[in-house]
Amino acid sequence: MAPAKVSGFFNAGLASDLTIIVDGVNFHLHKFPLMSKCGKIASIFEELKSTHDKIFTTKLEEFPGGPDAFLFAAKFCYGIRVEFTARNIIMVYCAADFLEMTDEYGEDNLLLKSENFLHKNVLRNWKDCILALQSCESCMPRAEKLHILKKCLNAVSMMVCTDPSLFGWPMMMYGSLQSPGGSILWNGINTGARIRSAESDWWFEDISYFSVGLFERLIKTMEERGIRCELLAGAIMYYARKYLPGLGRWQSTQGGKARTVASFSLTPATVDQKVLLESIETLLPKKKGKSFCRFLLGLLRVASILGVNQTCQDSLERRIGMQLELASLDGLLIPSYSDSDTLYNTDCVERIVRHFVSLESGLTLFSPPSLDLESSPSSEPLRKVARLMDSYLAEVASDVNLKPGKLCTLAEVLPESSRPLHDGLYRALDIYFKAHPWLSDGEKEELCNIIDYQKLSVDACAHASQNERLPLRVILQVLFFEQMHLRMALAGCLNVLEAESAPTGQGEIAGNATAGQIVQRDGWVTVVRENRVLKVDMEKMRSRVGELEEEFSKIKQEMKRVTKSHSSLSSPRLVARKFGCKLLAKSSDAQTDVAGSTGPTPRPSVEQACSSRNSRHRKSFSLF
């Protein structure tokens, strides 16, 4: 930059007798205009009187605002017209304070003028306040000392809580102050500006042009003023997505927001992404929500890429673990950016799950649920995390570099009570065995120990019993428990039938309870659907048994009558005729035949005995 000279005095032929150096820039000036306005220059000149030099030279170290701010002050000292703007007001204020340009060294001096402009013009207008804050980076320490920065931050925080239509443009007290096209009217003049929407996030875009340090200060100031946590979180998420492009791959795209008047004249800040992420992590509120958890998982991905400090990474993992039930599967699939051979960062997920198990959440949802539109915190977080981890295991199981020990560790990090069914674990193991065909039966059996076969559904048991990738011992165990399932289901079905046949009241209650258990156990819905068919079959069987019992009782009664009549009847032929039997000849006839025989031989008597036995046998057979 060329040395600055004030043209009015050089045209008058006055030689420069004072040289001031600011950040390597030489200003050739005159001592009397500056001494009359600047107390610091006057004190420096008094110290340099003893040098007897015609031209005095001094260097101003750490001048706030740099050469531009000093040039503005020098022009003011020479009486040249200067213009206060929102972009230069803070550095001019700081420069005037540094040069001690108070009313003691001239009436209506620069310090008083800049202070009046700041309070009357800048702090009452949103656009000017934003512009002033963005341009104060070169004089931040001095502005902090003079409390200018705090005043601007408080003004912005106050206007965030206020209707945006009350500042930036003349106050619109009536809805009629609009043109037919919807533009704002001021004293009947169409300003061309549109009324901004009354959404609560209208200010996100403007403050996103601040540097990281200034943005951090603003968020802390807003938090002290009691602005809602969901608004602060929304502003932080908006700022992070703007300067961390990696978040866009895992975050939903932002809807088009209308840019405000200030945004057209601002330039994006230059930020260090690593510093930004470490700062944002400390600003995030301790709340939980579905979209907020997704944002945290995105930050964790970017943190792994940027290599942030371990404290920041541990804090992000702890925050995610305290609301893991709201996470999604794609959010947990964090790629491995280190030297690890695995495709996904399973160690990070394991630490997150351990935080979930060991720490009590203690976090509350955002209210209103603007960042948590789909969350349901009341539905058993532990079981939701178990289902999430089963899906995660199924995804990472196809990685050929995943060790069996790591798979077991991920499966066993949750307590046993978190999984009412082990179908998800079985599915993950099946995928793992398919992707690792070189595993021995011993290694497979060790992996299968994480499954409780009693918690497998019927479908899973049926699949496992025919799975050739499983060891034979495991298949036998599956078959055994499958038989137990069938027995339990059959017993439950019979209990339902007995409950339905029981009297109304207790029978209905017991039947409903048992039927509910069957429906809830292992997917046996079809058993309940077939209850009516089984009931009809049972009724048919009961009627058939009743008929058989009646026939049997009739036969018994008939036998009793036959026994009584046998003793009273004189001739047994009536009984034989009654039952359709034919009796043999009388014993006297038999004796006549035997006496009339020619030869004494024992055969007729033997034949008689045989015929007599046969006759008794036939009688018995015909009776029964």
Side-chain angles (χ1 to χ4, degrees):
M1 182 176 179
K5 297 182 180 180
V6 182
S7 58
F9 286 87
F10 283 99
N11 292 337
L14 297 176
S16 173
D17 56 1
L18 178 63
T19 301
I20 297 178
I21 304 173
V22 178
D23 293 344
V25 179
N26 297 334
F27 291 89
H28 302 281
L29 304 172
H30 304 85
K31 59 183 179 182
F32 291 108
L34 269 70
M35 289 175 59
S36 62
K37 295 287 186 179
C38 304
K40 190 172 184 64
I41 300 297
S43 61
I44 292 175
F45 183 76
E46 291 295 331
E47 295 176 358
L48 297 177
K49 272 186 177 181
S50 57
T51 58
H52 303 289
D53 292 334
K54 293 183 179 180
I55 299 178
F56 299 96
T57 303
T58 184
K59 185 177 182 181
L60 300 180
E61 300 288 348
E62 299 179 356
F63 190 85
D68 294 335
F70 182 80
L71 179 61
F72 188 97
K75 288 181 178 180
F76 180 83
C77 292
Y78 279 99
I80 299 175
R81 182 181 177 181
V82 292
E83 181 181 2
F84 293 97
T85 63
R87 292 184 179 275
N88 65 17
I89 185 58
I90 293 183
M91 69 176 185
V92 169
Y93 193 117
C94 294
D97 180 76
F98 182 88
L99 295 174
E100 300 177 9
M101 300 178 70
T102 61
D103 290 347
E104 183 181 353
Y105 294 91
E107 185 179 356
D108 203 13
N109 210 341
L110 182 61
L111 184 62
L112 180 61
K113 280 183 171 294
S114 58
E115 184 177 5
N116 290 336
F117 184 84
L118 177 69
H119 286 84
K120 292 181 179 180
N121 298 87
V122 176
L123 297 182
R124 298 181 180 182
N125 187 285
W126 171 264
K127 181 186 72 171
D128 292 342
C129 203
I130 294 294
L131 291 172
L133 282 172
Q134 195 202 26
S135 60
C136 72
E137 294 291 336
S138 59
C139 54
M140 186 76 73
R142 197 81 182 185
E144 182 72 25
K145 179 181 177 181
L146 297 174
H147 304 290
I148 303 175
L149 188 62
K150 185 177 181 180
K151 291 178 181 179
C152 292
L153 294 175
N154 285 333
V156 171
S157 301
M158 181 186 65
M159 285 186 280
V160 164
C161 304
T162 311
D163 186 357
S165 63
L166 299 181
F167 50 86
W169 289 98
M171 185 179 299
M172 294 177 295
M173 299 176 63
Y174 306 100
S176 60
L177 296 180
Q178 301 179 28
S179 67
S183 300
I184 300 176
L185 294 180
W186 183 25
N187 293 333
I189 302 174
N190 189 349
T191 61
R194 298 281 180 175
I195 297 178
R196 289 180 289 185
S197 63
E199 296 180 358
S200 58
D201 58 351
W202 59 268
W203 47 279
F204 290 179
E205 173 71 13
D206 288 341
I207 67 170
S208 67
Y209 289 89
F210 291 164
S211 63
V212 177
L214 190 59
F215 180 81
E216 184 177 358
R217 289 289 306 273
L218 178 60
I219 293 297
K220 290 181 178 179
T221 303
M222 290 181 174
E223 186 177 1
E224 293 174 358
R225 293 188 65 89
I227 295 180
R228 298 200 310 268
C229 292
E230 57 271 14
L231 290 179
L232 296 181
I236 295 171
M237 293 164 66
Y238 190 95
Y239 189 86
R241 292 188 181 109
K242 184 171 185 175
Y243 294 103
L244 296 175
L247 283 177
R249 295 180 57 188
W250 303 289
Q251 304 295 318
S252 57
T253 56
Q254 294 293 312
K257 292 184 179 291
R259 297 182 59 166
T260 61
V261 178
S263 303
F264 285 106
S265 55
L266 292 174
T267 56
T270 302
V271 300
D272 185 342
Q273 292 185 345
K274 184 176 179 180
V275 175
L276 168 62
L277 200 150
E278 294 175 353
S279 300
I280 281 179
E281 190 279 323
T282 60
L283 296 176
L284 291 173
K286 294 183 179 180
K287 294 281 186 178
K288 68 177 182 178
K290 193 174 183 65
S291 59
F292 188 61
C293 183
R294 185 178 181 86
F295 172 74
L296 291 175
L297 286 167
L299 282 184
L300 186 58
R301 292 172 184 259
V302 179
S304 301
I305 299 174
L306 298 178
V308 299
N309 59 58
Q310 192 63 36
T311 303
C312 177
Q313 186 168 352
D314 292 343
S315 180
L316 285 174
E317 292 175 357
R318 190 179 300 106
R319 285 176 179 269
I320 297 170
M322 297 177 72
Q323 51 187 315
L324 185 58
E325 70 275 10
L326 302 177
S328 58
L329 176 60
D330 58 339
L332 283 181
L333 294 174
I334 303 174
S336 180
Y337 300 103
S338 60
D339 297 333
S340 177
D341 295 332
T342 57
L343 183 61
Y344 298 105
N345 193 346
T346 54
D347 294 334
C348 178
V349 175
E350 180 184 351
R351 291 192 297 267
I352 291 174
V353 178
R354 292 191 184 278
H355 285 308
F356 171 78
V357 174
S358 61
L359 298 177
E360 295 183 0
S361 176
L363 299 180
T364 56
L365 289 170
F366 287 97
S367 179
S370 56
L371 300 176
D372 190 34
L373 299 178
E374 302 177 3
S375 67
S376 54
S378 59
S379 57
E380 299 182 0
L382 188 61
R383 295 196 175 186
K384 292 182 68 175
V385 173
R387 291 193 294 269
L388 177 64
M389 284 303 299
D390 290 346
S391 302
Y392 179 81
L393 289 173
E395 288 292 331
V396 301
S398 59
D399 185 5
V400 295
N401 294 322
L402 183 64
K403 303 299 180 184
K406 176 57 68 175
L407 185 67
C408 286
T409 303
L410 290 173
E412 295 174 348
V413 68
L414 288 173
E416 295 183 1
S417 60
S418 62
R419 291 184 175 93
L421 284 177
H422 279 204
D423 290 7
L425 288 180
Y426 168 71
R427 176 172 173 266
L429 283 183
D430 187 41
I431 296 174
Y432 188 79
F433 292 157
K434 186 176 181 180
H436 301 75
W438 56 84
L439 292 176
S440 63
D441 287 346
E443 292 175 327
K444 290 183 178 180
E445 290 179 5
E446 186 176 356
L447 283 173
C448 289
N449 289 335
I450 65 177
I451 298 179
D452 186 356
Y453 301 104
Q454 299 186 38
K455 294 184 178 180
L456 288 179
S457 65
V458 176
D459 295 335
C461 286
H463 185 277
S465 62
Q466 300 178 1
N467 194 345
E468 297 179 353
R469 290 184 287 270
L470 295 180
L472 181 59
R473 183 179 299 178
V474 174
I475 293 178
L476 292 177
Q477 291 179 350
V478 171
L479 289 173
F480 172 76
F481 286 106
E482 186 179 11
Q483 293 296 325
M484 290 186 59
H485 277 297
L486 293 175
R487 291 178 183 177
M488 292 172 60
L490 184 58
C493 179
L494 294 176
N495 290 335
V496 171
L497 293 176
E498 292 178 0
E500 290 180 353
S501 61
T504 58
Q506 295 181 354
E508 292 181 358
I509 296 174
N512 293 334
T514 311
Q517 292 176 359
I518 294 175
V519 172
Q520 295 176 2
R521 186 179 62 245
D522 303 334
W524 283 86
V525 182
T526 56
V527 175
V528 178
R529 292 177 180 175
E530 295 175 356
N531 280 343
R532 295 186 178 276
V533 179
L534 294 175
K535 183 179 178 181
V536 172
D537 295 338
M538 291 293 293
E539 290 295 335
K540 290 181 180 179
M541 187 179 297
R542 287 172 182 167
S543 62
R544 179 59 179 164
V545 170
E547 293 175 358
L548 293 174
E549 288 178 351
E550 290 179 1
E551 292 181 3
F552 184 71
S553 62
K554 289 179 180 179
I555 292 174
K556 288 176 67 177
Q557 292 175 3
E558 192 69 25
M559 287 182 63
K560 289 180 181 180
R561 287 198 301 269
V562 169
T563 304
K564 292 179 181 179
S565 62
H566 179 71
S567 60
S568 61
L569 290 175
S570 59
S571 176
R573 294 183 181 275
L574 296 176
V575 179
R577 190 180 297 112
K578 183 178 181 62
F579 290 99
C581 298
K582 185 177 182 182
L583 296 179
L584 296 176
K586 292 184 180 179
S587 59
S588 60
D589 298 334
Q591 290 177 359
T592 305
D593 294 337
V594 173
S597 63
T598 57
T601 173
R603 185 170 183 84
S605 63
V606 174
E607 291 178 354
Q608 182 181 0
C610 290
S611 63
S612 177
R613 286 195 300 269
N614 291 334
S615 177
R616 288 196 298 269
H617 178 70
R618 284 195 300 272
K619 188 183 295 184
S620 300
F621 180 78
S622 64
L623 286 174
F624 294 96

